[in-house]
Amino acid sequence: MKKAAKKRAAPKTGAASGGLLSSYDTGGYWCELQGHSHHALAASAELARRLDSFSISELKKRSNAATREFMTLGVTFTVYSNRDQVDRILPFDVIPRVIPAAEWERLERGVVQRVAAMNAFLGDIYGAQKAIKDGVVPADLVFGNANYRKEMQDLPVPHGTYIHVCGTDIVRGKDGRFRVLEDNGRTPSGVSYVVENRHLMQRAFPDLVQDLPIRPVSNYGQKLAEALSQIAPAGVSDPQIVLLSPGSFNSAYFEHIFLAREMGVPLVEGRDLVVEADKVFMKTVGGMAPVHVIYRRLNDDFLDPEVFRPDSMLGVAGLMRAYRKGNIALANAVGTGVADDKAIYAYLPRLIRYYLGEEAIIDNVETHICREPEGLKFTLDRMDELVVKPVGESGGYGVVIGPRVSKRELAEARDKLTANPSNFISQPMIELSVSPTLCGRTIEPRHVDLRPFAVTGQSTWVLPGGLTRVALRKGSLIVNSSQGGGSKDTWVLG
């Protein structure tokens, strides 16, 4: 007769036991594990107990193994500014971030609300333009925007959905409140890391994950394919979807491969497609095959050399003709960049009120539009206190954090702002929340944000969790991978 296995006592929390988290200090910031206290929040208590059963050596060992596995699997992104190393893995921190069910429910509703308002805004500006006529947004902010596409005027889209995939960047300040930092409605990237991070945690840390009510993320490809099928041209019951990539030199090429595989659709480049009789076909070994939906991961400018940049070798000549005839669906639609512009972002609470008759569920970060005289004056008077951002850039490029830069850098930023005020906005510096992060052989606080991904066809579904990005450099508030940031697994509890 076998002896009953002796039940191992649950480890105590770090502060009491001298465990992994015993010397962790939040530095006075809101902590995603502990809030403002020195003890784990209720939703994170079990994770904290399990972490405390690890030694720093064991955690470091498993972290190194995870890094090797990411490189073996090719989970990389490309940095063009680094001539010594083109492909990098996205640094992965093995201590996950936990989001309680009640917090997620509010975040989810807030993201769905913003996507609905942005789609309504795009349908309006490319249609009746009521918000402009009613003075809700200035006309020149729309028509003078580099991402406004006159080719979309009076062109209806299925279900009124222009933004089919949206990434919403959300931060939490010292007060514990979530705020939206910016919207990404063109070709948002990063969702592949959400899924791969989870798979890696399940393989490397089964003892952390086991029996916890963590909501799954592995069905993203299925949900995306379902939404794309819903926007297929009328009369097509079994649409052929393809993912259009700029090619292997694109920084997100790994993600293009990943998503095509997850959806079970061909990954194509512009040279693989051709337009005949205003319909799109894909070149295959069996001849030309019709294409009905394109999930495109290249910018408007390169999409169709007949309409946009004539020198583009990445797009498909005649694609916009097929689009206007309703013979092909594009996700995201052309011209969505005007809705996620950082200047339009400042008006989004008004647009939510105007189109939906609701107050914003998640507030914006206070924003000053430098094209407006009062916004410019406010910014110039307080540049050493504010974060100044170019309205059309992404990836953290061009951002100047006033309290963190030198006098010379501040003077250069002032000159650029004075020369072209319309290109900039400013915001107060948000002391981003922190999360415990493995740094060498210690656990230290590092600033984080959150990018949930929303998928919209007939309705909107939000991937539970999203991408938690972490600024790995001590004191840095820039979480972008292109600027040295990493990522964490994000656990939304059921």
Side-chain angles (χ1 to χ4, degrees), residues 368-386:
H368 307 280
I369 302 173
C370 296
R371 64 184 292 280
E372 299 175 350
E374 61 273 20
L376 177 61
K377 183 179 186 306
F378 185 93
T379 302
L380 289 172
D381 289 347
R382 298 169 178 82
M383 279 198 71
D384 59 341
E385 304 170 12
L386 299 171

Side-chain angles (χ1 to χ4, degrees), residues 204-382:
F205 290 88
D207 37 359
L208 280 185
V209 176
Q210 186 177 10
D211 297 329
L212 290 180
I214 306 168
R215 293 184 60 182
V217 296
S218 296
N219 60 340
Y220 180 84
Q222 173 194 338
K223 290 290 189 180
L224 179 57
E226 288 174 0
L228 296 178
S229 295
Q230 292 168 2
I231 65 168
V236 178
S237 58
D238 185 19
Q240 174 63 69
I241 303 167
V242 299
L243 192 154
L244 176 60
S245 169
S248 59
F249 290 102
N250 185 265
S251 61
Y253 189 63
F254 162 76
E255 180 157 296
H256 304 167
I257 297 171
F258 174 88
L259 289 174
R261 184 182 72 232
E262 291 291 299
M263 288 192 289
V265 305
L267 175 66
V268 301
E269 297 179 25
R271 60 189 174 184
D272 300 317
L273 302 178
V274 65
V275 175
E276 293 182 358
D278 297 333
K279 293 184 178 180
V280 181
F281 295 87
M282 172 175 54
K283 301 172 187 176
T284 75
V285 292
M288 294 294 187
V291 174
H292 307 104
V293 181
I294 297 176
Y295 176 37
R296 49 97 174 205
R297 293 297 297 258
L298 68 162
N299 294 334
D300 293 350
D301 285 339
F302 300 98
L303 204 52
D304 182 349
E306 286 185 4
V307 177
F308 304 119
R309 284 184 55 162
D311 61 340
S312 172
M313 303 293 288
L314 303 176
V316 184
L319 185 59
M320 286 300 293
R321 281 189 281 111
Y323 191 40
R324 290 199 68 88
K325 289 288 182 66
N327 294 327
I328 190 74
L330 296 177
N332 288 349
V334 173
T336 57
V338 69
D340 75 0
D341 180 89
K342 290 181 178 66
I344 291 292
Y345 155 92
Y347 290 87
L348 203 59
R350 302 182 206 177
L351 295 174
I352 290 171
R353 206 175 298 121
Y354 182 75
Y355 292 116
L356 308 181
E358 302 168 356
E359 294 301 315
I361 295 169
I362 311 173
D363 291 333
N364 275 15
V365 173
E366 176 189 341
T367 302
H368 307 280
I369 302 173
C370 296
R371 64 184 292 280
E372 299 175 350
E374 61 273 20
L376 177 61
K377 183 179 186 306
F378 185 93
T379 302
L380 289 172
D381 289 347
R382 298 169 178 82

Side-chain angles (χ1 to χ4, degrees), residues 9-29:
K12 299 176 182 178
T13 58
S17 65
L20 190 73
L21 299 171
S22 60
S23 60
Y24 173 68
D25 183 352
T26 66
Y29 299 102

Side-chain angles (χ1 to χ4, degrees), residues 2-150:
K2 292 183 179 178
K3 291 183 179 179
K6 194 179 262 186
K7 189 175 180 181
R8 193 177 77 165
K12 299 176 182 178
T13 58
S17 65
L20 190 73
L21 299 171
S22 60
S23 60
Y24 173 68
D25 183 352
T26 66
Y29 299 102
W30 177 275
C31 176
E32 297 298 331
L33 183 76
Q34 297 181 348
H36 273 314
S37 72
H38 295 291
H39 303 284
L41 298 168
S44 307
E46 180 58 27
L47 171 63
R49 282 194 291 271
R50 295 183 185 194
L51 284 170
D52 267 338
S53 68
F54 284 83
S55 67
I56 195 73
S57 296
E58 177 64 17
L59 196 70
K60 185 72 175 174
K61 177 182 175 182
R62 294 205 208 180
S63 175
N64 290 339
T67 299
R68 289 193 298 271
E69 185 170 351
F70 263 6
M71 184 58 77
T72 301
L73 293 173
V75 184
T76 61
F77 68 98
T78 306
V79 179
Y80 295 111
S81 59
N82 188 334
R83 295 181 181 179
D84 299 324
Q85 185 178 8
V86 175
D87 286 325
R88 289 182 181 175
I89 64 165
L90 181 65
F92 175 63
D93 182 68
V94 296
I95 301 177
R97 174 197 192 152
V98 174
I99 301 178
E103 280 192 348
W104 175 250
E105 187 272 337
R106 183 170 176 274
L107 287 171
E108 183 179 47
R109 287 191 297 112
V111 168
V112 170
Q113 182 191 58
R114 291 182 79 88
V115 171
M118 286 192 290
N119 276 318
F121 171 66
L122 289 165
D124 185 18
I125 65 168
Y126 291 124
Q129 302 176 350
K130 291 181 180 178
I132 295 172
K133 294 170 184 175
D134 290 344
V136 180
V137 291
D140 63 323
L141 202 60
V142 174
F143 302 130
N145 191 301
N147 294 299
Y148 172 78
R149 303 296 181 186
K150 65 181 187 301

Side-chain angles (χ1 to χ4, degrees), residues 114 141 145 147 169 181-184 186 336-349 364-371 387-399 422-427 451 480:
R114 291 182 79 88
L141 202 60
N145 191 301
N147 294 299
D169 291 347
L181 189 63
E182 64 180 62
D183 304 284
N184 299 277
R186 281 171 266 185
T336 57
V338 69
D340 75 0
D341 180 89
K342 290 181 178 66
I344 291 292
Y345 155 92
Y347 290 87
L348 203 59
N364 275 15
V365 173
E366 176 189 341
T367 302
H368 307 280
I369 302 173
C370 296
R371 64 184 292 280
V387 178
V388 180
K389 300 178 179 180
V391 297
E393 292 287 349
S394 60
Y397 293 108
V399 175
S422 296
N423 192 45
F424 295 93
I425 62 164
S426 68
Q427 297 170 329
R451 176 179 287 183
N480 306 79

Side-chain angles (χ1 to χ4, degrees), residues 413-430:
R414 181 182 293 275
D415 290 342
K416 290 179 181 178
L417 172 59
T418 305
N420 187 12
S422 296
N423 192 45
F424 295 93
I425 62 164
S426 68
Q427 297 170 329
M429 188 178 81
I430 303 294

